[in-house]
């Protein structure tokens, strides 16, 4: 009994395939084949003076070595600026040399405005809301903002962030928007 059902299903499927082939295959149109003769008639060789391989250029290319400048070539991140050269103190005849350490770099600032925060219902994830005037960004703690800044902690009045490329940390204060004027 099982084989009869399978045989009936096979016959039905073959009939459906035949009907699809018959209705969707245009019998009046000629078969399109690749015409190799048109390629031969339209062939124009390239105007190369010397078609031989330039092995000297190939050898020169093989012997070159990649010299890194400290930047990851697979990342869009801008590398940190090189450390400033150490100032050479002039020799003074009456006194020891005193080198003044360079001032610390300024803390980074966000190119967007931090205008609010919130939490996800049924969760403990805090979200920060940013805008640059046109776009709005919603970023959770630990995520990247604009692929440059990692949000470390979101507080009630400010948030702490870290610039990924330099490792410098900064804070951004919550900027409250003024209420619209009442009528």
């Amino acid at each position: 009994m099982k084989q009869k059902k399978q045989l009936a299903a096979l016959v039905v499927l073959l009939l459906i395939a035949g009907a699809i082939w018959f209705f969707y295959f245009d019998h009046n149109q000629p078969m399109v084949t690749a015409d190799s003769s048109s390629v031969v008639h339209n062939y124009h060789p390239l105007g190369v003076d010397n078609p031989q391989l330039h092995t000297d250029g190939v050898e020169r290319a093989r012997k070159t070595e990649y010299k890194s400048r400290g930047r990851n070539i697979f990342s869009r991140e801008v590398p940190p600026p090189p450390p400033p050269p150490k100032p050479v103190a002039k020799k003074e005849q009456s006194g020891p040399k005193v080198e003044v350490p360079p001032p610390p770099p300024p803390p980074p600032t966000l190119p967007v405005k931090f205008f609010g925060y919130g939490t996800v219902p049924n969760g403990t994830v805090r979200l920060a809301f940013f805008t640059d005037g046109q776009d709005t960004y919603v970023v959770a703690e630990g995520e990247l903002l604009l692929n440059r800044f990692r949000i470390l902690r979101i507080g009630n009045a400010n948030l702490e962030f870290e610039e990924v490329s330099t490792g410098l940390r900064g804070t951004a204060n919550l900027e409250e928007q003024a209420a619209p004027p009442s009528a």
Side-chain angles (χ1 to χ4, degrees):
M1 188 70 173
K2 185 176 177 183
Q3 286 182 344
K4 287 183 180 179
K5 286 183 181 180
Q6 288 177 346
L7 186 60
L10 177 64
V11 169
V12 169
L13 288 175
L14 286 174
L15 286 174
I16 291 173
I20 290 174
W21 177 78
F22 181 76
F23 289 119
Y24 287 103
F25 186 71
D26 191 5
H27 299 288
N28 297 331
Q29 228 175 16
M31 293 289 287
V32 178
T33 59
D35 188 15
S36 62
S37 64
S38 65
V39 174
V40 172
H41 294 296
N42 295 332
Y43 175 71
H44 298 290
L46 295 175
V48 178
D49 294 333
N50 185 1
Q52 299 298 321
L53 289 178
H54 300 284
T55 55
D56 56 335
V58 173
E59 287 302 317
R60 219 177 318 122
R62 283 184 183 164
K63 291 179 182 177
T64 58
E65 289 186 28
Y66 174 70
K67 294 179 181 136
S68 174
R69 292 187 179 140
R71 179 171 183 226
N72 183 358
I73 61 173
F74 299 105
S75 173
R76 288 185 166 183
E77 299 286 328
V78 177
K86 294 182 180 180
V88 178
K90 295 181 181 179
K91 292 184 178 179
E92 295 184 17
Q93 296 162 351
S94 63
K97 295 181 184 179
V98 177
E99 291 189 24
V100 178
T109 58
L110 290 176
V112 292
K113 178 179 164 184
F114 170 49
F115 71 91
Y117 63 92
T119 58
V120 176
N122 299 330
T124 59
V125 177
R126 291 193 76 157
L127 301 171
F129 304 107
F130 301 93
T131 184
D132 61 358
Q134 295 177 354
D135 295 326
T136 302
Y137 305 98
V138 179
V139 182
E141 288 181 340
E143 291 182 357
L144 291 179
L145 170 68
L146 302 174
N147 289 332
R148 287 183 48 205
F149 303 99
R150 182 175 310 280
I151 305 302
L152 300 175
R153 191 183 67 78
I154 301 171
N156 294 336
N158 60 10
L159 67 88
E160 294 177 10
F161 64 93
E162 175 185 31
E163 189 173 15
V164 176
S165 61
T166 61
L168 296 176
R169 293 184 176 210
T171 59
N173 293 327
L174 178 67
E175 298 181 27
E176 295 185 22
Q177 296 178 349
S182 59

